[in-house]
């Protein structure tokens, strides 16, 4: 459901991975996404950090950090 709604609202145009850091049962990924908000036509370009926690070789927790205010501005622009 999340991805269906996401792709109804934005047109992703690229993802870039900057770095991976692994320690113990965690992997931290730093990157950037680019795309266009369909309702406004405005482009967004934002950096993010994802933190994955593993147990027995499987992801058991995922956290995603980015500046939501920055992206919200692109949804509001007309």
């Amino acid at each position: 459901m999340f991805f269906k709604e996401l792709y109804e609202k934005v047109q992703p145009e690229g993802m870039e991975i900057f770095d991976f850091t692994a320690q113990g049962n965690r992997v931290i990924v730093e990157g950037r996404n680019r795309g266009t908000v369909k309702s406004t036509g405005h482009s967004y370009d934002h950096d993010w950090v994802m933190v994955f926690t593993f147990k027995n070789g499987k992801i058991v927790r995922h956290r995603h950090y980015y500046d939501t205010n920055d992206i919200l501005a692109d949804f509001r622009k007309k």
Side-chain angles (χ1 to χ4, degrees):
M1 184 70 162
F2 170 80
F3 288 105
K4 180 180 182 284
E5 189 171 327
L6 176 68
Y7 286 105
E8 288 173 356
K9 296 183 178 2
V10 300
Q11 175 63 48
E13 295 167 3
M15 177 190 275
E16 182 179 0
I17 304 295
F18 299 139
D19 199 14
F20 290 91
T21 304
Q23 183 175 359
N25 64 342
R26 285 182 166 183
V27 175
I28 298 170
V29 185
E30 299 172 67
R32 173 179 287 145
N33 284 352
R34 289 180 305 283
T36 300
V37 177
K38 291 180 180 180
S39 64
T40 64
H42 284 267
S43 296
Y44 62 87
D45 186 349
H46 71 277
D47 292 345
W48 49 260
V49 174
M50 293 185 195
V51 180
F52 297 92
T53 304
F54 291 83
K55 184 175 182 179
N56 299 323
K58 295 183 179 184
I59 297 170
V60 294
R61 185 173 186 195
H62 166 254
R63 289 175 286 158
H64 186 167
Y65 301 98
Y66 58 94
D67 184 351
T68 55
N69 191 52
D70 184 44
I71 295 172
L72 182 60
D74 290 317
F75 273 87
R76 290 185 172 163
K77 292 177 184 174
K78 300 261 179 187

